Amino acid sequence: AQSVTQLGSHVSVSEGALVLLRCNYSSSVPPYLFWYVQYPNQGLQLLLKYTTGATLVKGINGFEAEFKKSETSFHLTKPSAHMSDAAEYFCAVSDHYGGATNKLIFGTGTLLAVQP
Amino acid sequence: DVKVTQSSRYLVKRTGEKVFLECVQDMDHENMFWYRQDPGLGLRLIYFSYDVKMKEKGDIPEGYSVSREKKERFSLILESASTNQTSMYLCASSLGAAGDRETQYFGPGTRLLVL
C-alpha cells in the first residue's frame, strides 16, 4: 500500500531564503507523485507532478521537485521564498493501478511561514 | 480551466440534522471525490465515484453517504450530523480512463461546524 510522510508540520523561512519541504513515499509500484498548495480558506491547487520521464519537475510559482527513487523522496524546493508562498503544502502519491479511478494518498501537510 | 464549485463556503448545523454538501464540476470529468481535512491529519477520502450512480467507499465512510445522479454533480450527505463531523470538506474531480486521470482538481471547500 502506498503512503506519504511529510517531515515537519511547520517550516519557517526568511523572505529570500531557500525553501525545502520534505516528502518521502512508500509504494509497491512506480509512483506518481504530486505537490499541492493550499492558501488560507481555499481549496488545493496543483503545484507540480511527476509521472514518468525527467526526474526534476518544474511547477508553478518557481517551485520544483526531484524524484529520487533510491531515497524514495520527492522534496519540494524554491530558491528564494516570497511572502506570498506562505501556505500549506501537501505531498501525495497516486494509486494508479486501480483501474480508471486513481486515488491520491496525501501526507499530513507542511505549513510554510515566511518571515519578512 | 477546470472549475469545481461547492454549494457553501461555511455551514453551521445542529447535531442530528441531515446535511447536504453539493459539488459541481464543469469539465465532464468521470471521477469525483469527497475528502475531509482536519489539522494534523491531512486529507482523508470519504467516498468517490467513477460514473453516474456509481460510488465506492474511501477510508472513512462511516456516518456519510453520497449521491451521483448526474455526471457533473456529486453530493455528500450527513444523515445525522454529529459534532465529530465538524471539519473542512473538499470536493475534487479527475478525468477517467481516457485522459490524465491522476490529476485531481479541487473545489474551494466547505467549512462545516456542527453544534
Side-chain angles (χ1 to χ4, degrees), chain A residues 20-103:
Chain A
L20 170 61
L21 304 182
R22 299 178 187 275
C23 173
N24 288 88
Y25 69 89
S26 171
S27 178
S28 57
V29 298
Y32 291 178
L33 295 158
F34 302 78
W35 276 100
Y36 281 85
V37 60
Q38 184 180 34
Y39 298 103
N41 296 315
Q42 294 186 28
L44 274 67
Q45 179 183 359
L46 181 67
L47 265 181
L48 51 80
K49 67 179 181 182
Y50 168 80
T51 53
T52 58
T55 56
L56 182 63
V57 181
K58 295 187 185 297
I60 61 171
N61 302 338
F63 284 92
E64 61 183 36
E66 186 171 10
F67 168 59
K68 291 187 176 181
K69 184 178 178 181
S70 60
E71 299 177 8
T72 61
S73 69
F74 191 58
H75 301 331
L76 183 70
T77 60
K78 183 174 180 177
S80 177
H82 192 271
M83 297 294 290
S84 61
D85 294 326
E88 190 158 21
Y89 292 80
F90 292 92
C91 182
V93 63
S94 173
D95 171 13
H96 63 284
Y97 284 97
T101 305
N102 290 351
K103 294 184 283 183

Side-chain angles (χ1 to χ4, degrees), chain A residues 5 30-31:
Chain A
T5 301

Side-chain angles (χ1 to χ4, degrees), chain A residues 32 36 38 41 43 49 101, chain B residues 9 37 50 100 102-104:
Chain A
Y32 291 178
Y36 281 85
Q38 184 180 34
N41 296 315
K49 67 179 181 182
T101 305
Chain B
R9 293 299 305 274
Q37 180 183 10
Y50 53 90
D100 173 13
E102 292 82 22
T103 303
Q104 292 185 18

Side-chain angles (χ1 to χ4, degrees), chain B residues 29-32 47-57 66-75:
Chain B
H29 283 177
E30 282 77 19
N31 303 319
M32 296 188 75
Y47 267 98
F48 65 98
S49 169
Y50 53 90
D51 202 351
V52 175
K53 297 191 185 295
M54 306 305 288
K55 61 184 179 185
E56 287 205 22
K57 294 179 180 179
V66 291
S67 173
R68 193 162 179 206
E69 297 296 318
K70 293 185 178 181
K71 189 175 186 180
E72 68 271 18
R73 188 179 297 269
F74 191 35
S75 303

